[in-house]
Amino acid sequence: MSQYSLDLFDALTYADADVAIDVSRIFPAGADPADILGRLDAFSPSCAAMLAIEGGAIANPDEGRMVGHYWLRDADLAPDPALKTAILAALSQVSAFADAVHAGTIAPQRGGKFAHILIIGIGGSALGPQFVSAALTTAADKMKVHFFDNTDPDGIDRALDQIGDGLAATLAIVISKSGGTQETRNGMLEAAAAFAREGLDFAKHAVAVTGEGSALNKHAKSHGFLDTFPMWDWVGGRTSELSAVGLLPAALQGLDIAAMLDGAALMDTKTRRGQPRENPAAWLAFAWHEATGGTGKRDMVVLPYKDRLELFSRYLQQLVMESIGKRLDLQGNEVLQGLAVYGNKGSTDQHAYVQQLRDGVKNFFVTFIEVLQDRGADRPVLEVEPGVTSGDYLSGFLQGTRRALTDADRPSLTLTIQRCDARAIGMLIALYERAVGIYAHRIGVNAYHQPGVEAGKKAAQAVIDLQLRVVTALQQRRGQTLALAEIGNAAGSADTEAVYWVLRHLAANPGKGLVRTDGGFKAAGSSWRSA
Ligand code: PA5
């Protein structure tokens, strides 16, 4: 029960959705509920803005885009009949494709049935599928899921090792909204090469989820991929889990995507309220604002007491930090906004950083996630002590930590769900998507662009361009040791540090044909590749 008022607690208990949110411990003990509610009312314009977004307003002014992830779970809301048709068609396409794969009518090149899925994507094109896959996996999964979510060759090898001799039964899903993300492009090329090494045609094992006309879309079509699935410009990467980006992998894994969509739609009805007092997402955004002063001065620690939800913090980290972490506000003023998110799971983390949360610097607030049901009803229950189960301990640890934090004047909020099923996961996704939108509006930043991500892509490309110039410079004087400054000079770069980092990396990887000598670096051997 709330330490402030029972009414406040009851207002955020949704029996029909099996969800309850307790924000009472965000506020200092003794705070006056009337004051709290008064400050919450300042979120009215932000709730109204969410309604405008659902109606098709341009909510991403930089990119001139609508923000329509709400339409994905209720296509009737789409502001244009063509969008509704596209959403419903994509849903049917996903279900029909997954059914055909499970039935074996869409089959691998050498016959049999697909048994593995290799998802190739990054950021919003991977984190949702990773979270959902881990949260809902069971022994009854129809396919085993693997990820290339980076351009780390060793990570790629590790995923391929997990697939092992199952490559001939692997379906690759290349996911990229823009269709031009380097990490994903590299992952796709690495996967295609791995298939080729097994004598397999990647295209006969691959589908793409991407925007119409993107480089990936063109590649998929020209190479004859099994299928392509749409991604629209009005769905942001980090809010794309309930588009084909998340639904296709989930349906193939055998998860209940209808229940996930239903859960999200149900939560959307609860957060589609102009009155913040009746809107759980507004309460959540308000709680963040109260805890951080609306400036990010405290971090959000996400502590689900449920192993299945371990990736929730990573998923939220992107959703929140990529949406909220902005240099400029909507008026172009420098605001350096943010809300840092981290966490793993309880009680595991009680044996790690929770020590600092309880006793150390007060620069955070905790979001506890409580899942009432311990384990599947068909599972045997063990009493680890007379009358006490492992799950009772988990619950006890949650309550104990929550109370200890409150007693030590550390704010927290608690979100309770009945069980960790597809419906609850859909609700959690919808709740946080809306809360992020409301919070961003309240602090006046554009939640739907990511200029920092784009800048990072450009910076990496500049390094690759420098590497190519460095390599050319060394190749032109093959066998000759050149000092760093000479190499930089020949490569047209005065950035000695960047030149050194490129060379150091090249020299550490045999096969690059570059060696480090006493006086500098040299290209060795008769040809760059064979050296
Ligand atoms: O949320 C976002 O917009 C980003 O994290 C993108 O998802 C990420 O950069 C990958 O982009 P894309 O899907 O275009 O490959």
Side-chain angles (χ1 to χ4, degrees):
M1 295 296 115
S2 157
Q3 60 188 134
Y4 297 99
S5 99
L6 191 57
D7 286 350
L8 201 146
F9 180 81
D10 283 346
L12 295 174
T13 299
Y14 301 96
D16 59 337
D18 289 330
V19 173
I21 304 171
D22 181 358
V23 294
S24 63
R25 287 164 191 252
I26 286 290
F27 310 105
D32 179 355
D35 285 349
I36 293 174
L37 292 173
R39 292 198 299 280
L40 171 63
D41 289 342
F43 281 70
S44 291
S46 307
C47 293
M50 292 300 107
L51 303 184
I53 285 178
E54 282 201 359
I58 300 293
N60 183 353
D62 287 18
E63 296 168 2
R65 288 179 181 169
M66 298 187 291
V67 172
H69 46 272
Y70 301 103
W71 315 329
L72 298 170
R73 43 263 192 171
D74 184 352
D76 285 334
L77 292 173
D80 159 355
L83 292 183
K84 176 178 171 178
T85 307
I87 293 165
L88 296 178
L91 260 178
S92 308
Q93 189 193 358
V94 162
S95 299
F97 185 85
D99 288 348
V101 166
H102 296 153
T105 48
I106 294 179
Q109 187 180 353
R110 293 191 186 133
K113 281 189 184 181
F114 284 113
H116 298 268
I117 312 165
L118 173 60
I119 297 171
I120 306 170
I122 196 165
S125 292
L127 285 158
Q130 284 170 321
F131 161 53
V132 167
S133 173
L136 298 175
T137 183
T138 68
D141 285 353
K142 293 187 171 154
M143 299 176 77
K144 200 162 165 32
V145 190
H146 312 266
F147 290 90
F148 283 1
D149 69 347
N150 198 358
T151 185
D152 173 12
D154 176 55
I156 288 169
D157 294 343
R158 222 162 50 140
L160 288 173
D161 287 350
Q162 278 168 10
I163 296 173
D165 59 10
L167 205 61
T170 298
L171 175 69
I173 310 179
V174 189
I175 308 177
S176 175
K177 174 179 169 176
S178 63
T181 301
Q182 290 98 334
E183 292 95 328
T184 303
R185 192 275 318 255
N186 297 354
M188 179 178 73
L189 296 177
E190 292 264 7
F195 276 83
R197 286 194 294 272
E198 300 280 324
L200 293 162
D201 178 357
F202 180 65
K204 293 196 163 61
H205 288 247
V207 299
V209 184
T210 187
E212 187 61 44
S214 74
L216 172 59
N217 188 276
K218 288 179 188 142
H219 179 93
K221 291 202 164 125
S222 65
H223 284 72
F225 278 24
L226 289 170
D227 213 341
T228 57
F229 295 81
M231 178 60 179
W232 303 286
D233 71 353
W234 43 267
V235 178
R238 51 197 172 276
T239 51
S240 65
E241 174 51 28
L242 297 175
S243 70
V245 167
L247 295 181
L248 179 63
L252 286 164
Q253 188 178 337
L255 309 181
D256 188 347
I257 60 169
M260 214 153 72
L261 287 165
D262 281 353
L266 178 63
M267 183 53 73
D268 284 345
T269 62
K270 301 197 177 304
T271 60
R272 187 174 296 127
R273 302 271 166 92
Q275 165 56 263
R277 296 185 189 198
E278 299 166 359
N279 184 333
W283 270 103
L284 212 52
F286 172 54
W288 302 348
H289 199 273
E290 290 281 298
T292 67
T295 62
K297 75 173 179 204
R298 285 203 179 95
D299 299 343
M300 183 195 303
V301 182
V302 180
L303 265 182
Y305 278 66
K306 186 56 63 185
D307 288 1
R308 290 185 173 279
L309 294 178
E310 187 175 0
L311 294 185
F312 191 44
S313 55
R314 242 166 90 183
Y315 168 76
L316 284 185
Q317 190 173 63
Q318 190 220 12
L319 177 64
V320 174
M321 295 178 75
E322 210 167 281
S323 303
I324 304 298
K326 299 289 155 72
R327 185 168 74 85
L328 303 177
D329 68 9
L330 284 161
Q331 278 70 48
N333 306 308
E334 182 160 285
V335 286
L336 305 180
Q337 267 291 357
L339 179 47
V341 179
Y342 67 90
N344 298 299
K345 62 177 180 176
S347 70
T348 312
D349 291 356
Q350 287 185 214
H351 301 264
Y353 61 81
V354 172
Q355 162 63 32
Q356 177 173 317
L357 303 190
R358 289 181 67 142
D359 293 346
V361 57
K362 296 182 181 181
N363 62 350
F364 67 91
F365 69 100
V366 171
T367 299
F368 290 103
I369 316 263
E370 179 189 29
V371 182
L372 292 176
Q373 205 174 79
D374 287 337
R375 60 180 4 145
D378 54 336
R379 300 286 179 152
V381 175
L382 175 75
E383 291 191 354
V384 292
E385 291 164 20
V388 180
T389 65
S390 314
D392 296 334
Y393 264 101
L394 191 66
S395 173
F397 281 125
L398 188 160
Q399 274 214 53
T401 299
R402 180 171 174 268
R403 182 172 299 276
L405 291 181
T406 305
D407 291 347
D409 191 27
R410 278 121 169 118
S412 70
L413 61 90
T414 305
L415 215 140
T416 302
I417 56 175
Q418 191 69 24
R419 65 190 74 77
C420 190
D421 59 12
R423 182 169 171 267
I425 294 301
M427 285 193 298
L428 284 180
I429 289 170
L431 176 65
Y432 276 86
E433 283 178 351
R434 186 89 80 176
V436 165
I438 293 174
Y439 184 86
H441 184 273
R442 179 75 178 86
I443 62 169
V445 299
N446 179 353
Y448 308 107
H449 69 167
Q450 50 285 326
V453 177
E454 312 305 335
K457 290 180 186 178
K458 283 194 189 119
Q461 193 53 54
V463 174
I464 297 296
D465 293 344
L466 173 63
Q467 173 175 320
L468 295 175
R469 295 202 304 278
V470 162
V471 166
T472 305
L474 282 163
Q475 279 177 324
Q476 282 167 351
R477 287 191 256 173
R478 188 182 304 281
Q480 234 181 297
T481 292
L482 299 184
L484 204 52
E486 278 179 283
I487 300 170
N489 212 15
S493 173
D495 187 346
T496 318
E497 186 193 49
V499 172
Y500 175 65
W501 277 47
V502 161
L503 288 163
R504 182 178 62 175
H505 173 244
L506 290 172
N509 285 280
K512 297 276 192 183
L514 185 135
V515 290
R516 195 172 182 158
T517 65
D518 280 350
F521 294 85
K522 70 173 177 184
S526 57
S527 87
W528 180 255
R529 295 231 162 251
S530 63

